[in-house]
Amino acid sequence: MPITNTDYVPILKWRQGEYQALFRLPDAVKDKTVPLIEITPPDFDFEAWTPSKSIDDHVAKFAVRFRAKWGRRLALLDCGLLDPAEVMLGGKHPMLYLCEEAFARGATIIPVIRLSSNAAYRAAVRAANALMHTGVILRCSLDEALDPDFDLNVDAALQQLGVTIADCDVVLDLEAPAWDPQDILINIVTAAIQASNAMATARSLILAGTSFPASMAEVTGPIQFWPRREWMFFRALLANLGGATRKLTFADYAIAANGYSQMDMRKVKPSATIRYACDDGWIIAKGTNVRDNGFGQYRGCSGTVTGSAHFLGSGFSPGSDYIEQCRDGIASTGSLSTWRWVGSNHHITKVVADLATMCAP
């Protein structure tokens, strides 16, 4: 079950658009994809000013849905977006509940933990690993990795979890740094990696980050090219590290920014957007808000994407196929979740292809 440098780790929220994107991937792409799944909090009812569901109801369908959408393939599970004090009705931690339920259905999951995770979260991960024997994922920030005591902090955390570094994968998550000047960031990340025995001896070392716009307000229509700075940085970092350092696995946030916030959808008017990965970037086709102007405008947005020199053609991914079919009136104009699976599915396919090209002998 090792994660290798030819695998891709997309960081995805476990929401309909994202798990449908995973489900629709071709098997060959699934085989090179190891999703890091973030469990989001229950939706918030802003009118009643309370969560719309209990945590029990919110996570009840996860295991069944995971088995249906991803089968027995490996995935990484992160509950760090939930309220740290969140527990189930019987007092069980959501992480332990999710791992138990998924494991009982034959899923292969590695729990994700941070150095900042509280005692209850750590106890849940320890119990989950005692059940599944899959090890753990340690997800750390660049600031944590630059701490002179980083290795000591990692050792202390792993002792509490009852695992060794040989059973731990490290995710160095840059999140959304200032990518410029790139050379300075490369030097900082290189120094952090080369100074850490934990990163050198962990089961795998995964580098994550994102440059996707935090808001579609940053994007001008009808189409804009947006650089994939995390991908360009990853390749430049590998060149700087040379062969003296272990191989790195690439991770990003697919077609989303990092972090999570809940908005009062009564006050939000999302625009029609298609987010389409291409060489070294995304093309983002943008219409007007769908609440006032409807989803029919996605036909025009689809035509804008397929008419671009960056369009990779039908047959490249199920997402690409859908865009072409929507343009031609064959596929529906869908919903916001539809276009999340379309963009995410294509993005994952594109990154897996990029990695295969880069890692080819």
Side-chain angles (χ1 to χ4, degrees):
M1 180 179 55
I3 301 171
T4 73
N5 68 304
T6 61
D7 293 323
Y8 165 47
V9 179
I11 301 173
L12 303 172
K13 308 291 188 295
W14 188 251
R15 299 179 74 87
Q16 183 178 15
E18 284 81 353
Y19 60 67
Q20 291 293 76
L22 292 172
F23 177 66
R24 289 180 166 93
L25 291 171
D27 284 345
V29 178
K30 288 181 179 178
D31 290 343
K32 301 306 296 180
T33 302
V34 182
L36 192 162
I37 294 168
E38 296 184 313
I39 302 298
T40 57
D43 289 338
F44 194 80
D45 184 336
F46 283 88
E47 187 170 0
W49 205 252
T50 184
S52 59
K53 290 182 179 180
S54 69
I55 187 64
D56 297 65
D57 290 339
H58 180 58
V59 301
K61 295 181 180 179
F62 172 80
V64 171
R65 191 167 280 151
F66 180 89
R67 186 72 172 82
K69 302 301 180 182
W70 197 238
R72 297 179 182 272
R73 287 183 169 87
L74 177 63
L76 320 178
L77 184 66
D78 192 334
C79 292
L81 295 178
L82 297 179
D83 184 335
E86 193 79 80
V87 293
M88 315 287 286
L89 271 178
K92 185 174 289 186
H93 194 282
M95 171 64 88
L96 180 56
Y97 170 83
L98 291 169
C99 289
E100 286 177 342
E101 293 293 305
F103 182 72
R105 290 165 175 79
T108 308
I109 284 177
I110 307 178
V112 178
I113 194 166
R114 294 168 172 78
L115 291 176
S116 59
S117 298
N118 65 16
Y121 193 109
R122 293 189 185 203
V125 169
R126 182 183 179 106
N129 181 58
L131 170 70
M132 302 185 300
H133 302 289
T134 52
V136 300
I137 302 288
L138 177 64
R139 186 175 176 181
C140 61
S141 68
L142 182 55
D143 284 346
E144 289 171 332
L146 291 169
D147 186 333
D149 292 329
F150 175 68
D151 282 352
L152 292 175
N153 295 335
V154 171
D155 288 344
L158 295 183
Q159 285 181 20
Q160 291 181 1
L161 298 172
V163 299
T164 66
I165 193 66
D167 293 317
C168 173
D169 305 273
V170 173
V171 176
L172 177 55
D173 191 352
L174 305 182
E175 299 180 332
W179 295 103
D180 286 318
Q182 181 174 273
D183 288 349
I184 291 178
L185 185 59
I186 286 174
N187 290 338
I188 293 171
V189 174
T190 298
I193 292 173
Q194 292 181 340
S196 172
N197 182 64
M199 292 194 205
T201 55
R203 194 163 51 181
S204 69
L205 178 57
I206 302 162
L207 184 74
T210 184
S211 56
F212 199 84
S215 167
M216 285 296 99
E218 300 178 43
V219 178
T220 58
I223 190 168
Q224 183 174 350
F225 177 87
W226 197 280
R228 284 198 283 148
R229 296 300 307 274
E230 64 278 6
W231 173 240
M232 293 184 280
F233 176 84
F234 182 77
R235 289 179 296 159
L237 177 67
L238 292 185
N240 189 65
L241 290 171
T245 308
R246 67 175 308 162
K247 295 182 183 297
L248 302 182
T249 300
F250 177 72
D252 66 14
Y253 287 76
I255 59 167
N258 64 307
Y260 180 73
S261 61
Q262 293 189 335
M263 297 178 288
D264 186 345
M265 294 307 294
R266 298 172 302 172
K267 302 176 181 178
V268 176
K269 293 186 175 183
S271 298
T273 58
I274 300 178
R275 310 166 185 203
Y276 188 85
C278 55
D279 291 342
D280 292 340
W282 299 275
I283 50 172
I284 303 175
K286 183 179 179 182
T288 56
N289 83 77
V290 295
R291 182 166 294 176
D292 293 334
N293 300 292
F295 285 86
Q297 59 189 300
Y298 271 104
R299 299 217 189 278
C301 290
S302 294
T304 300
V305 172
T306 58
S308 165
H310 296 288
F311 184 63
L312 296 174
S314 59
F316 182 86
S317 69
S320 264
D321 291 347
Y322 195 95
I323 293 169
E324 198 164 57
Q325 291 164 9
C326 180
R327 178 201 65 191
D328 296 340
I330 299 169
S332 77
T333 55
S335 64
L336 295 177
S337 290
T338 300
W339 294 99
R340 180 67 65 162
W341 88 248
V342 167
S344 299
N345 175 280
H346 172 74
H347 180 96
I348 294 169
T349 306
K350 173 59 175 164
V351 175
V352 168
D354 288 345
L355 286 166
T357 300
M358 187 181 74
C359 297

